[in-house]
Amino acid sequence: MGEYDVSRRSFLKGIGLAGLSAGALGTLGATGIAFADDAPAVEAGDAYRQLACDTALVPVKKAACPGPRGPVGFEDRDIAASDIASTEDCDIVVVGAGIAGLMASLKAAEEGAKVICIEKMTKGRGCFECFGAVGAKCQEGTEIDKVALLDEMYRSAYWRVRPEPIRTYVDRSGEATDFWQAELDKGRNGFVISKVEQAPSTCGMPALTPLIDTELGFYDSPSLPPDAGVRSGYSGIYVCLEMQEVAKAYDNLDLRFSTPGVQLVRDGSGRVGGVIAKSGDEYVQINAGKGVILATGGYDANPELMEAWTRPEDYASSSWWNPGWGTTGDGHLMGIKAGAQMDPCPQPVMNFRWGNPDSFYDARTWNAVYFALMVNGDGKRFVREDLPFQSVSNAQNAQPDFGKSCWQVFDDTMFEGMEDAVEEFKQKGWLFEGSTPEELAAACGVDPQGLADTIARYNGFFEAGVDEDFGRDLAGTIPFTGTRFFALTTNSCVLATVGGLTIDGSCRVLDTDDRVIEGLYAVGNASGNFFAGNYPRHIPGTSIGRAVTFGYVAAEHAVKGA
């Protein structure tokens, strides 16, 4: 490593130079921490270079992460051979039984490999309800310009990614989706992947086309509960449970829960040949003749990693949506310990609008939020409200105190469907009401004159048909004409982190010298080299679409080779 590089020892010890509290070291393995020798120290006389190499000295605003703390499986210590209670052999080990891990397990098993899929949680994982694909059978008749999609994905990452993984997604997501449907057809509940109709873009995103029509989902599946279509992420949980049932039908696929992956096993050549896992209080070494696929998800349930690797504004005032708190960065940390390269920091977070202090608002608020103005504590607008979820969330997070005092403001002509939630939300302290903008402002703690002026100015834009402040499409919304005014508290909601280990187009993990680490693959949110800086919500479904596609591609490559 170079003279001024951060040593791998300090990286694992500190979980990045952004800082890790002393008590957090326990999250990396309760059995202790072991480190290699220090890298050479920075020359004492080079103070400016030292400043540049230590982000703890940079005067940036930091914040504690208020998010959930899940169980960490990774252990950074030397596990002696005498600690291993048993050894098993298989072709493929998949670490993680979320959507990417289940896809990888099913594909590898279908190809005839002996597969062991380990999952540290008791019931597996879930996923959000929609995903993206290109060229699937269920998309017949839908025109998707691959060149425009590729360019928009590169553009959204400001070209800070290598092209191969994105091209793999665009070229092979249709094939992977067809395989997924074929596997779901083996289940008992009739899950159907179908096209999700999308409204035309009104906000100039994506940049080149009015709509990138790639979104698919399960809303036409007859087995879903009646409220699955209006509860965010609900249908995705049922789909993952169905995939588990399909997996159990394979004689060559062993799906194990409550079995965390602890660290990777490398042979003398550097090839990853297996995983040390924990079963109860015992360690078991599972040797994989063809490859190990890391499908452990992101690290949104590991506050120390959130503080170390992401921007504070992306989490400081947020709530969380996650059907299970297993996303603690195990795959990231196992890969780093094995010499893997990772996306640079700060890494992107999937943070959406529509958050409430508990998680997400439900469908009763859809009309109100759609028509509402977003204002800060001064009663002033700060964003074009019809932007994609991620963009509005980012704008709120940029407000004072990381967007903690922001509101959705609307009147009684805008809240159809929310009538029966008014008292419920008031009792929770989320909703305030007034007969005038000034009265409403006083009730919720916003500047009264500021809010009154904002609503008056906004109403005036409808006369000329132009939002002079933010360019919102006024043809898709309405002015304030009611007699009851409402303010609904709002915050960002963290769904996932989407930065991870650097991979090539076959999902093979690269080391810090850009060489393939033989036998090691990363998929889903454990993988990187796909997003940069921000999650591009205006391109539908790229996160779960990536997970589905990369699980499929990694398994195929591990079993068959190039």
Side-chain angles (χ1 to χ4, degrees), residues 151-161 531-534:
D151 184 71
E152 187 61 25
M153 292 182 73
Y154 298 142
R155 183 184 301 272
S156 296
Y158 279 82
W159 290 272
R160 292 181 182 271
V161 292
F531 304 112
N534 194 62

Side-chain angles (χ1 to χ4, degrees), residues 394-429:
N394 291 341
Q396 176 169 350
N397 291 343
Q399 289 299 298
D401 200 15
F402 301 117
K404 193 172 184 179
S405 181
C406 291
W407 303 87
Q408 308 271 10
V409 176
F410 51 93
D411 69 19
D412 53 345
T413 69
M414 303 172 178
F415 77 155
E416 182 182 357
M418 188 177 151
E419 294 89 346
D420 66 346
V422 168
E423 290 307 314
E424 174 190 337
F425 290 165
K426 284 182 178 180
Q427 290 177 10
K428 289 183 176 181

Side-chain angles (χ1 to χ4, degrees), residues 292-346:
V292 173
I293 301 174
L294 297 174
T296 49
Y299 49 88
D300 56 286
N302 187 326
E304 285 73 38
L305 292 187
M306 290 292 289
E307 291 173 16
W309 290 347
T310 69
R311 301 174 182 87
E313 60 266 32
D314 286 344
Y315 60 74
S317 295
S318 295
S319 55
W320 264 249
W321 177 92
N322 195 320
W325 303 127
T327 45
T328 58
D330 292 328
H332 296 67
L333 296 171
M334 286 194 285
I336 290 166
K337 183 175 175 62
Q341 183 180 162
M342 189 177 72
D343 284 342
C345 297

Side-chain angles (χ1 to χ4, degrees), residues 94-102 117-119 124-126 240 244 255 257 295:
V94 179
V95 186
I99 188 67
L102 289 168
C117 177
I118 59 174
E119 168 57 57
R125 312 285 180 93
C240 286
Q244 291 178 19
L255 180 59
F257 297 103

Side-chain angles (χ1 to χ4, degrees), residues 222-262:
S223 61
L224 289 176
D227 59 347
V230 296
R231 289 184 60 183
S232 298
Y234 203 25
S235 59
I237 296 172
Y238 283 91
V239 171
C240 286
L241 291 173
E242 182 81 341
M243 294 172 73
Q244 291 178 19
E245 292 303 311
V246 172
K248 293 174 183 176
Y250 281 89
D251 294 335
N252 56 329
L253 200 172
D254 186 357
L255 180 59
R256 303 178 186 177
F257 297 103
S258 301
T259 307
V262 172

Side-chain angles (χ1 to χ4, degrees), residues 357-369:
D358 288 346
S359 185
F360 262 133
Y361 282 113
D362 60 40
R364 292 175 295 175
T365 67
W366 284 359
N367 278 329
V369 172

